[in-house]
Amino acid sequence: MASGFRIQASGPRLKAAGALIACKTNLDEFAMGSSTEHSAFGPTHNPWDLDRVPGGSSGGSAATVAARGVPLSLGTDTGGSIRQPAAVTGTVGLKPTYGRCSRWGIVAFASSLDQAGPVARRVRAARILLSVMDGHRGTDTSTADLSRSDSLTVDHRVVQTYELLTGASAVTRVPGNREPLAAASIPLGTEPPTIRTSATPAERARLHASS
């Protein structure tokens, strides 16, 4: 099964960045499944509870990261095949926007839906892996020519909520409150402070009034 396997979509960029390709992980046969039980290599188990499944179809990628076998892994996602295993195994999984990462070498179920994306133990690690994977590639005309950044771009309402719950300012630029589609940048240089789980009624009212 899969003899002569080669890393295609993002492998060359990862290797150029110094990544070591440790292994090939398991998945549902032809990536059609949501439990990683139906594979030529046999089922994959959830490392948190071996009687449970790790989700799928990229369950091998998520299980390997959750078991601390590797810090980062790759998966493919059409309708949840990265995100669902990440949720089941307690890892971070991201399906990138169409055109952000190359799909070269991936057999797609639906060309506009299938994407390659990162699986990691922490959000910051997933962001770093994504920053290596993304951008234009000559062998994939669907990829966008992106300008790379060390910051996450988020809606300003997310920034307001972050500041409200943490009591800390973590933004470098905050646009006017009456611009619903405006964005701000949160630097990734440090870990965020502890976030409170709730806001007071007065704080919630102030947040809603400004959005």
Side-chain angles (χ1 to χ4, degrees):
M1 177 73 179
S3 60
F5 172 82
R6 291 186 300 164
I7 300 289
Q8 293 285 3
S10 299
R13 278 191 172 156
L14 294 174
K15 288 182 176 180
L20 299 176
I21 307 300
C23 61
K24 174 175 64 176
T25 58
N26 202 12
L27 72 158
D28 284 298
E29 195 79 9
F30 304 112
M32 290 184 175
S34 57
S35 63
T36 317
E37 294 177 284
H38 308 291
S39 165
F41 300 105
T44 296
H45 301 279
N46 192 318
W48 296 105
D49 184 343
L50 297 181
D51 292 327
R52 299 177 185 273
V53 300
S57 61
S58 299
S61 299
T64 305
V65 172
R68 305 302 195 260
V70 294
L72 304 164
S73 188
L74 299 177
T76 57
D77 191 314
T78 305
S81 288
I82 291 175
R83 294 161 290 168
Q84 187 248 35
V88 171
T89 60
T91 54
V92 176
L94 175 68
K95 178 184 180 181
T97 302
Y98 176 79
R100 187 176 186 97
C101 299
S102 173
R103 298 175 297 122
W104 185 59
I106 297 172
V107 179
F109 288 146
S111 188
S112 62
L113 296 178
D114 282 27
Q115 302 298 325
V119 179
R121 292 199 293 267
R122 299 177 69 89
V123 173
R124 179 172 171 78
R127 172 67 180 89
I128 292 171
L129 179 54
L130 178 64
S131 71
V132 176
M133 296 171 60
D134 68 7
H136 179 69
R137 182 166 177 164
T139 54
D140 188 344
T141 57
S142 70
T143 51
D145 190 7
L146 302 171
S147 58
R148 303 210 172 180
S149 172
D150 290 330
S151 296
L152 283 171
T153 300
V154 296
D155 189 283
H156 82 280
R157 288 167 292 186
V158 176
V159 175
Q160 288 178 325
T161 304
Y162 178 91
E163 292 185 324
L164 182 66
L165 296 179
T166 62
S169 177
V171 300
T172 55
R173 177 177 58 86
V174 178
N177 290 337
R178 296 301 178 183
E179 300 173 13
L181 297 181
S185 295
I186 298 180
L188 296 177
T190 57
E191 293 293 327
T194 301
I195 296 179
R196 287 191 285 123
T197 58
S198 63
T200 66
E203 289 172 330
R204 288 196 296 268
R206 188 167 68 251
L207 178 63
H208 289 301
S210 64
S211 55

